[in-house]
Amino acid sequence: MIIGVPREVKDHESRVGVTPAGAKALVDAGHKVLIERNAGALSSFPDEEYLAVGAEIVPDAASVWNPANMVVKVKEPVEKEYPYFRPGLVLFTYLHLAPLRALTDALIAQKVTGIAYETVRDQAGSLPLLTPMSEVAGRLSVQVGAAYLEKEHGGRGVLLGGVPGVPPGNVCIIGGGIVGINAAKVALGMGARVTLVDLNLNRLRELDDIFSGRLYTLYSNAYNVERAVCEADLVIGGVLIPGAAAPKIVTKSMVSKMRKGAVIVDVAIDQGGCIETARPTTHSDPSYVVDGVVHYCVTNMPAAVPNTSTLALTNATFPYVMKLAKLGANAAIQSDPGIAEGVNTYNGSLTYKAVATAQSRDFTPVAQLLP
C-alpha cells in the first residue's frame, strides 16, 4: 500500500500523522511511505529522519494525496484539501464531523472512506485514539487557563495556587472523563481548589477515591452547575459524547453571572463545545471575551506541544495504521469491530449515527455497505 502523510495546514497545527519510527515499521513491512516536505519539522522530526528509514520525501501536498491509497493525518481536512478527495481513498484522522457539514458533504460526494480517530473503539468499548489527546488537552487546559488568568491576558489576576495568607483560585471542571481527570491532576498539583461536576455518580465516587477527598465532586444539574461556575476563577469544559455534538452544560445566563476576568477553556470545542458562549478559535487568535469572561476555545489545543502530542497520538494510532495497510480498508473494517466503529463515511454514504443526528440527515451502517 502507498501511505501518504501530508503536512498539516490547519492554523498552527504542528503535529504529524506518522513518526519516523512508524515510517520505518511500514517500510519494513513492504509499504511505500510518502512524507510531504517538512511535515514533521514542527514536531521535531526533520525530513532527514524519515529519509534514513526509507520513506520518500515529496515536495507538496498533491504529491502525497494523489498517489496515496491511504492518507494518515492528525486533524480534519480544511477546505483547500477537499479537491484531493477521490473515490476509494482511505482517510484516517480526527474528523469531528458533527459540526462540520461541508466536510461531511465533501467526503460523501467523493466517496471517501473516512475513518475517524475519535470514534474507533477497542475491545473494552473505550476510545483508544481519543484518549491520548484528551490527556494532553486536559493537562494543557489548566496551564492555559492559569496563563489567561493573568491580568495581561484579561484575567482576574489570580494565581491558582495562592500563597500563604491568600486562598488559592477556584477551578470548576465540567465532566469527569479523560479530560476532566487530567485537568484535575494539574489543577490540584498547582494548589488550586478544584470542583468537578459530572452526571455519573459512580464516576464521582471513583474520582473521590482516586484523589483521596482532595477533589470536590458535585452532581450535575442546572442549579449545581450555575453555583459552581459562578464561584470559579477557571472553568474547564470537558464533556464528550463520542462522535456527537457536545451538550451545552453551561448556558449564556450562567456565563453572564460569572466573575469578571474569570476564564473558560472549552476543550469540547472540537465537537461544538459544552459552553453555550463558546465558538471555535485558533492558535493565531485564541481568545475572546463575553460578558467580561475570557474564553479560550482553540480546536487543536495539543498542537501547542507537538512533540509530546505526536508521540502520544501515534503510540495509539499506529497499530491501526499497520492493520489498515496490511489488510486493506475493507478487510480491516470487516475483521475489527472497533475499526468499523471508526468509519464515518463510506462509498458515498454517511455511516455514523451520532453525526447523522447532529446534522439531521440519514445514515447507513457500514456493515450494510461492505462488499
Side-chain angles (χ1 to χ4, degrees):
M1 181 180 282
I2 302 174
I3 295 101
V5 183
R7 182 170 58 84
E8 297 291 328
V9 293
K10 188 169 183 173
D11 182 77
H12 278 65
E13 180 50 69
S14 41
R15 292 169 288 180
V16 64
V18 174
T19 64
K24 181 180 188 323
L26 287 165
V27 170
D28 288 349
H31 305 292
K32 184 175 183 178
V33 180
L34 304 177
I35 309 287
E36 185 178 351
R37 181 181 294 141
N38 292 325
L42 295 177
S43 295
S44 302
F45 300 118
D47 289 347
E48 293 76 15
E49 292 189 17
Y50 290 101
L51 287 170
V53 298
E56 181 179 339
I57 301 297
V58 297
D60 51 35
S63 302
V64 171
W65 286 87
N66 292 338
N69 308 116
M70 176 170 64
V71 167
V72 181
K73 283 175 45 59
V74 176
K75 287 303 291 179
E76 71 278 357
V78 299
E79 189 172 357
K80 65 188 289 187
E81 294 174 299
Y82 297 178
Y84 297 126
F85 295 171
R86 66 180 190 278
L89 176 69
V90 178
L91 176 62
F92 192 36
T93 188
Y94 285 117
L95 287 174
H96 297 295
L97 291 181
L100 301 175
R101 191 177 186 96
L103 174 57
T104 308
D105 288 342
L107 292 169
I108 291 171
Q110 292 301 318
K111 299 184 177 181
V112 174
T113 299
I115 306 175
Y117 292 163
E118 72 272 11
T119 63
V120 170
R121 291 188 182 271
D122 60 19
Q123 291 183 346
S126 63
L127 303 165
L129 309 189
L130 191 61
T131 295
M133 293 303 92
S134 295
E135 291 170 335
V136 171
R139 296 182 183 212
L140 194 57
S141 67
V142 180
Q143 290 184 201
V144 168
Y148 275 82
L149 276 171
E150 295 173 11
K151 202 64 182 177
E152 65 175 305
H153 289 128
R156 298 188 67 232
V158 170
L159 181 66
L160 278 185
V163 293
V166 180
N170 291 324
V171 177
C172 173
I173 300 170
I174 310 295
I178 302 298
V179 167
I181 192 171
N182 280 276
K185 287 177 180 178
V186 173
L188 289 169
M190 285 184 169
R193 180 185 186 273
V194 182
T195 300
L196 188 145
V197 183
D198 200 278
L199 197 60
N200 186 329
L201 284 173
N202 286 332
R203 182 58 172 167
L204 293 178
R205 292 185 182 104
E206 291 173 0
L207 293 172
D208 184 70
D209 287 340
I210 289 169
F211 291 105
S212 301
R214 294 186 301 134
L215 177 74
Y216 297 93
T217 57
L218 194 63
Y219 181 74
S220 182
N221 57 45
Y223 179 82
N224 284 344
V225 170
E226 180 169 322
R227 287 190 63 187
V229 300
C230 288
E231 294 173 359
D233 300 299
L234 171 61
V235 174
I236 307 293
V239 175
L240 171 74
I241 299 175
K248 306 300 183 187
I249 306 299
V250 178
T251 65
K252 292 179 182 178
S253 174
M254 293 176 190
V255 172
S256 71
K257 298 172 185 175
M258 290 175 63
R259 296 169 171 173
K260 303 309 176 187
V263 175
I264 288 172
V265 179
D266 195 344
V267 182
I269 196 65
D270 273 338
Q271 296 292 127
C274 63
I275 314 290
E276 194 172 9
T277 49
R279 58 175 171 78
T281 63
T282 67
H283 285 290
S284 294
D285 188 15
S287 67
Y288 59 94
V289 177
V290 175
D291 290 330
V293 178
V294 180
H295 291 57
Y296 180 98
C297 307
V298 174
T299 55
N300 57 334
M301 282 181 61
V305 286
N307 184 264
T308 296
S309 295
T310 293
L311 289 168
L313 177 62
T314 56
N315 284 345
T317 59
F318 188 74
Y320 293 91
V321 172
M322 185 64 85
K323 189 167 191 175
L324 286 162
K326 179 181 178 181
L327 300 180
N330 287 346
I333 293 166
Q334 289 173 321
S335 67
D336 189 331
I339 292 178
E341 285 277 347
V343 180
N344 281 211
T345 63
Y346 182 87
N347 196 27
S349 296
L350 180 62
T351 57
Y352 200 76
K353 182 179 181 180
V355 174
T357 300
Q359 297 186 8
S360 300
R361 62 203 303 171
D362 295 330
F363 83 104
T364 305
V366 69
Q368 297 179 21
L369 301 171
L370 288 167

